[in-house]
Amino acid sequence: MSRPRVLSGVQPTGALHLGNWLGAIRNWVDLQETHDTFVCVVDLHAITVPHDPSRLAEDTRSTAALYLACGIDPKRCSVFVQSQVAAHSELCWLLNCVTPLNWLERMIQFKEKAVKQGDNVSVGLLDYPVLMAADILLYDADLVPVGEDQKQHLELARDIAQQRINARFRGKDTPVLKVPKPLILKEGARVMSLTDGRSKMSKSDPNEGSRITLLDPPELITKKIKRAKTDPERGLEFGNPDRPETDNLLGLYAILSGKGRQQAATECAEMGWGQFKPLLAEATVSALEPIQARYRELMQDPTELDQVLRTGREKAETVANDTLERVRDALGFARPA
Ligand code: TYM
């Protein structure tokens, strides 16, 4: 029996933060033990908003290096760059032609990002979720580990596969596309901003103090946590809707210290902020230290990363081209002579 398949990705837009790690990458690392895992750096998604061409290649490599530094093992998992596997763009076009426009117009992330872009919204930004569906469907993924904010995009990918391809077009003997399931773990699925416990930690927040990036040096991490928004109450607790910052910071401590929610809640139940914040800073610094050390090694010697991305691309291309051919056949395209 072949192992179930996993596909996921992160955009190379600026430094990855705790949300990307805890909501997504950390789960990939667990899944690679039991699943056939593909992870890509989704650079085509990164250009759906204005981008800096002088940084794109470097950010792409840096993101891939962070995957490895976080524990992705290239012997178990294929790591590749989305734009280097042409099938992603081609399947996206085929899916575009069967996806109703109004499905895309109601995507929450599109609406939120479109507001920020004003008159400058690109067709690519609207099409973002179709490209994401292509990423997933090309690999016949069973599971897609993502943070909570990607749930709607996953539903769209399922609907496109089921209603717009499988229900309308015939595969040879099986449905044309595998219908994927999201994997959103409760812990870490929604890491919130350090400056506002009601909005998620995000790369696009103009306030750098709102997020901790995986490459922040220890002093900066300590400073950001020291300045993180809190409330006047003493003692930390989970689940109090009036204390979103408390819930978030305690949740981070539970994961980063490795103690888990119950032990963290008991330990911090009576604690004041002056005692808690240094503890959280210490847990964060120690959790990130090995990642940063490995990242520096990988960036110093480009040959290892080059090799990983080359092998990853070759494996990805084989799987992706097979699926693309299946879809082209089902849609009735002429085969090359
Ligand atoms: P991106 O780069 O915006 O986010 C990458 C991953 O990080 C998760 N994430 C979070 N999780 C918890 N708390 C947060 N504050 C937080 N912020 C981000 C996201 O849910 C995501 O899992 N559209 C995808 C990229 C993508 C993709 C794919 C993912 C393109 N194609 C195919 C899976 C499969 C995205 O959100 O990127």
Side-chain angles (χ1 to χ4, degrees):
M1 270 272 288
S2 59
R3 307 202 298 173
R5 177 80 54 73
V6 162
L7 177 287
S8 200
V10 172
Q11 298 182 71
T13 36
L16 305 199
H17 54 65
L18 284 181
N20 301 130
W21 181 37
L22 302 178
I25 302 172
R26 190 177 57 125
N27 302 327
W28 310 348
V29 173
D30 293 338
L31 287 163
Q32 68 182 346
E33 303 296 329
T34 45
H35 289 66
D36 186 18
T37 308
F38 286 78
V39 296
C40 52
V41 180
V42 292
D43 53 348
L44 294 171
H45 280 102
I47 65 162
T48 56
V49 293
H51 79 286
D52 178 354
S54 70
R55 292 210 50 92
L56 185 60
E58 195 187 321
D59 286 349
T60 300
R61 290 180 63 83
S62 153
T63 303
L66 274 172
Y67 290 180
L68 303 182
C70 287
I72 286 294
D73 174 0
K75 289 197 200 78
R76 292 160 204 256
C77 174
S78 309
V79 183
F80 65 100
V81 177
Q82 179 196 37
S83 68
Q84 295 175 3
V85 179
H88 290 247
S89 306
E90 190 172 343
L91 183 62
C92 178
W93 176 256
L94 302 182
L95 300 182
N96 276 337
C97 296
V98 296
T99 304
L101 180 60
N102 65 11
W103 285 14
L104 302 183
E105 286 168 335
R106 61 173 185 246
M107 291 291 115
I108 298 165
Q109 253 189 19
F110 170 69
K111 289 196 264 187
E112 283 173 0
K113 287 193 189 171
V115 170
K116 290 188 199 148
Q117 302 293 315
D119 284 342
N120 216 0
V121 178
S122 69
V123 175
L125 188 65
L126 179 72
D127 205 27
Y128 180 114
V130 181
L131 178 60
M132 180 164 162
D135 298 339
I136 297 165
L137 299 173
L138 274 177
Y139 296 89
D140 288 329
D142 297 274
L143 277 185
V144 184
V146 284
E148 179 72 36
D149 61 336
Q150 294 304 305
K151 202 169 162 201
Q152 197 186 28
H153 290 163
L154 255 298
E155 277 158 16
L156 184 93
R158 287 171 57 83
D159 289 347
I160 293 176
Q162 223 157 13
Q163 298 173 32
R164 294 284 152 163
I165 297 286
N166 292 351
R168 292 175 160 199
F169 303 98
R170 288 198 160 279
K172 238 166 126 205
D173 23 50
T174 48
V176 185
L177 292 171
K178 168 85 127 293
V179 181
K181 289 203 180 83
L183 179 71
I184 301 172
L185 296 186
K186 218 171 142 221
E187 262 199 359
R190 206 166 154 73
V191 174
M192 308 311 279
S193 152
L194 295 185
T195 47
D196 173 7
R198 293 188 201 276
S199 58
K200 67 165 192 173
M201 186 175 283
S202 152
K203 288 179 204 152
S204 58
D205 191 323
N207 181 357
E208 292 201 6
S210 68
R211 61 186 165 268
I212 291 175
T213 84
L214 301 189
L215 298 175
D216 279 349
E219 320 76 65
L220 188 58
I221 293 174
T222 308
K223 193 164 117 190
K224 286 179 178 175
I225 291 178
K226 206 167 169 190
R227 294 192 178 160
K229 185 174 172 200
T230 56
D231 56 39
E233 282 185 53
R234 196 184 162 80
L236 282 90
E237 60 183 332
F238 281 122
N240 183 338
D242 298 326
R243 305 185 69 199
E245 285 82 17
T246 307
D247 188 272
N248 187 45
L249 295 176
L250 186 57
L252 285 176
Y253 179 63
I255 304 177
L256 296 170
S257 67
K259 291 182 174 166
R261 288 170 74 87
Q262 214 164 12
Q263 199 184 327
T266 313
E267 182 187 346
C268 306
E270 309 290 330
M271 232 178 238
W273 290 108
Q275 196 184 351
F276 173 74
K277 282 187 163 180
L279 270 187
L280 175 59
E282 200 184 298
T284 311
V285 169
S286 340
L288 292 182
E289 200 188 320
I291 295 177
Q292 297 183 352
R294 178 76 181 117
Y295 172 82
R296 279 193 292 270
E297 261 172 41
L298 285 159
M299 293 307 275
Q300 260 159 28
D301 171 15
T303 44
E304 186 180 346
L305 189 59
D306 285 344
Q307 180 56 41
V308 167
L309 292 176
R310 194 175 312 121
T311 315
R313 173 170 54 79
E314 285 163 5
K315 278 203 195 156
E317 256 175 352
T318 308
V319 177
N321 289 343
D322 267 7
T323 311
L324 186 61
E325 197 173 292
R326 231 163 56 217
V327 180
R328 288 176 55 105
D329 283 350
L331 266 58
F333 283 95
R335 288 197 155 196

